[in-house]
Amino acid sequence: MGIIGKVIGGAIGFALGGPLGAILGATFGHAYDASNQLDQTGFGNATMSQTESSQFTFFVATFSMLAKLARADGRVSQAEVDTIRQFMVYDLNLPPESQQVAMNIFQTALNSPQSFEEFASQFFGQFHAQPQILQLMMDILYRVSVADGPLNAAEERILATASRIFGFDDSKYRSYSQPGKPADTDRYYAVLGCSRSDSDETIKKAYRKMASDFHPDKIIAKGLPEEFVKFANDKFKEIQEAYEAIKKERGFS
């Protein structure tokens, strides 16, 4: 059972402070005191493990940040809402109850006073020592933002902000997160964090590290929610496909 299923089913409670905690409290209809902790409604009594807490933070942060990304240009179109729903269904395979929670978080964050920067900064604070988790969040933000067409200027500003807060090179994500032609191996090099000028051995080493870092079992243990396992598998497959394309182009085994 994923982290949201456990919360919905009452198997565990939740307690999350900061900007994301405010979204969570508003979403579930529970008040917060001045320290941003849950009130005495019973939801903060059961103890989450560290992994469960990280998974819960990831889930809430994803749909809170996607909400601010959707509102980056000052309005939210039906096409953007549909894109979020499609992401839930096709990229994540969320069950209906989890979809409803995710959409409630999204809708709450849309009109909240908290900013994208606040959400991203809290997320970075949780995962600053786990760059592969930060990278997966960047992948999610880019994938959703280009799903309904090319990036607009407001979306580019938001994504650049995320890259800066997470400590990443924005150009790296721009190069491989957008759909490319199968023959365009520049995209495959970018997936592995490499360039055409790198040696075969450098590329092999980069592939082995990424294949290890992004193995779905490993990143779920580091805080990726089980609800995101399909996305993790797709990322792992992308790494494999990129390496195979480069091997074919270069002719090494």
Side-chain angles (χ1 to χ4, degrees):
M1 180 186 294
I3 188 65
I4 297 303
K6 291 178 182 178
V7 171
I8 294 173
I12 54 175
F14 55 77
L16 182 64
L20 295 174
I23 296 300
L24 188 60
T27 299
F28 282 85
H30 295 283
Y32 280 71
D33 62 23
S35 62
N36 277 329
Q37 298 300 312
L38 282 170
D39 66 5
Q40 299 303 310
T41 55
F43 282 84
N45 294 333
T47 302
M48 282 185 175
S49 69
Q50 182 59 48
T51 297
E52 287 171 336
S53 179
S54 294
Q55 290 174 342
F56 201 44
T57 299
F58 192 104
F59 192 97
V60 177
T62 296
F63 295 101
S64 296
M65 285 194 277
L66 286 175
K68 295 304 183 182
L69 180 61
R71 193 174 280 286
D73 60 357
R75 58 183 295 273
V76 180
S77 68
Q78 186 59 48
E80 288 172 315
V81 175
D82 291 343
T83 295
I84 298 297
R85 291 192 181 278
Q86 289 167 5
F87 173 68
M88 295 176 187
V89 174
Y90 298 111
D91 291 84
L92 302 183
N93 281 349
L94 290 184
E97 283 187 320
S98 294
Q99 288 181 41
Q100 187 59 56
V101 172
M103 186 52 69
N104 288 347
I105 292 169
F106 177 82
Q107 295 289 354
T108 300
L110 273 179
N111 299 308
S112 73
Q114 292 82 14
S115 66
F116 179 90
E117 289 85 348
E118 290 177 281
F119 295 145
S121 294
Q122 184 174 355
F123 183 80
F124 178 75
Q126 178 78 25
F127 294 105
H128 65 276
Q130 298 169 26
Q132 63 270 49
I133 297 293
L134 297 173
Q135 186 169 333
L136 282 171
M137 182 59 80
M138 287 300 306
D139 288 356
I140 289 168
L141 295 173
Y142 270 103
R143 181 180 297 192
V144 173
S145 65
V146 301
D148 60 351
L151 293 176
N152 59 44
E155 289 171 332
E156 288 200 26
R157 286 194 298 271
I158 289 284
L159 294 169
T161 295
S163 293
R164 174 181 54 78
I165 291 173
F166 296 166
F168 290 133
D169 178 3
D170 181 64
S171 63
K172 172 184 175 182
Y173 292 92
R174 192 184 306 278
S175 64
Y176 78 76
S177 299
Q178 299 185 43
K181 297 179 181 179
D184 184 7
T185 51
D186 284 340
R187 177 175 176 271
Y188 296 128
Y189 283 100
V191 168
L192 299 183
C194 298
S195 67
R196 287 184 176 276
S197 62
D198 288 332
S199 67
D200 291 353
E201 285 306 313
T202 296
I203 290 168
K204 291 177 183 180
K205 182 177 179 180
Y207 163 71
R208 287 193 295 266
K209 185 176 188 309
M210 290 199 72
S212 174
D213 287 348
F214 287 92
H215 190 282
D217 290 343
K218 182 174 290 188
I219 57 177
I220 285 173
K222 288 182 178 292
L224 187 77
E226 292 178 24
E227 287 86 354
F228 285 67
V229 66
K230 181 180 183 299
F231 188 87
N233 283 325
D234 288 346
K235 175 66 177 179
F236 191 69
K237 182 180 178 181
E238 181 184 45
I239 292 167
Q240 302 284 341
E241 289 177 346
Y243 184 60
E244 291 301 319
I246 293 172
K247 280 173 59 178
K248 182 177 180 179
E249 181 192 53
R250 293 195 173 206
F252 64 77
S253 59

